[in-house]
Amino acid sequence: MIKIKFLKIISIILFLTFVVLYSIGESGYYEYKLSNKKNLTEEQIKQFEKDVKEGKNIDIKKYLIENKADYTNNLSRVTYKISDKTNKLLKKGIEKVFKYINKLVEE
């Protein structure tokens, strides 16, 4: 009876995790980030075309502008560290749960 309840709880947790990860994937966030890396702005395209017409040596890195702003502060750094440690603990916990499930299945 306890094993069945435990398996139900684990199944529900795994299903909810799947739903969350699936929705993140379907939202297109990752593809959006990738597309932003490859898109050139109008000014960069015009400059590129001008340089091609003039026969200049072309390097694509010259036309890409990195717009990375650093918004980190002490709170976000501490939160990241806590999140990272929590993630490691959860990973170990999940591995132990699956080992336990494996034992239940093999019995």
Side-chain angles (χ1 to χ4, degrees):
M1 189 66 164
I2 294 175
K3 292 180 183 181
I4 293 173
K5 285 184 181 180
F6 182 72
L7 287 176
K8 282 183 181 180
I9 291 172
I10 295 299
S11 299
I12 291 170
I13 290 171
L14 289 175
F15 177 73
L16 291 176
T17 303
F18 170 77
V19 169
V20 169
L21 292 176
Y22 182 77
S23 64
I24 288 171
E26 287 299 311
S27 70
Y29 178 75
Y30 181 70
E31 288 80 12
Y32 172 74
K33 285 296 208 179
L34 289 178
S35 69
N36 280 346
K37 288 182 180 179
K38 70 176 183 166
N39 291 335
L40 297 174
T41 64
E42 288 296 320
E43 293 174 8
Q44 293 165 326
I45 291 171
K46 288 177 185 177
Q47 182 63 40
F48 176 79
E49 290 173 350
K50 180 181 171 191
D51 289 347
V52 169
K53 285 181 185 176
E54 293 176 0
K56 293 182 179 178
N57 193 8
I58 305 293
D59 182 17
I60 193 68
K61 292 179 184 175
K62 183 171 99 174
Y63 302 99
L64 297 177
I65 297 174
E66 291 274 336
N67 291 333
K68 285 193 173 182
D70 184 17
Y71 295 110
T72 60
N73 57 28
N74 289 337
L75 178 63
S76 63
R77 283 188 286 275
V78 168
T79 306
Y80 174 75
K81 288 179 184 177
I82 291 171
S83 172
D84 192 37
K85 291 186 189 285
T86 305
N87 188 24
K88 289 178 184 177
L89 285 172
L90 285 175
K91 182 180 176 185
K92 288 179 184 177
I94 290 171
E95 288 173 353
K96 288 180 182 179
V97 166
F98 278 113
K99 285 181 185 177
Y100 182 72
I101 292 172
N102 191 23
K103 281 183 186 178
L104 292 176
V105 171
E106 288 179 354
E107 287 180 4

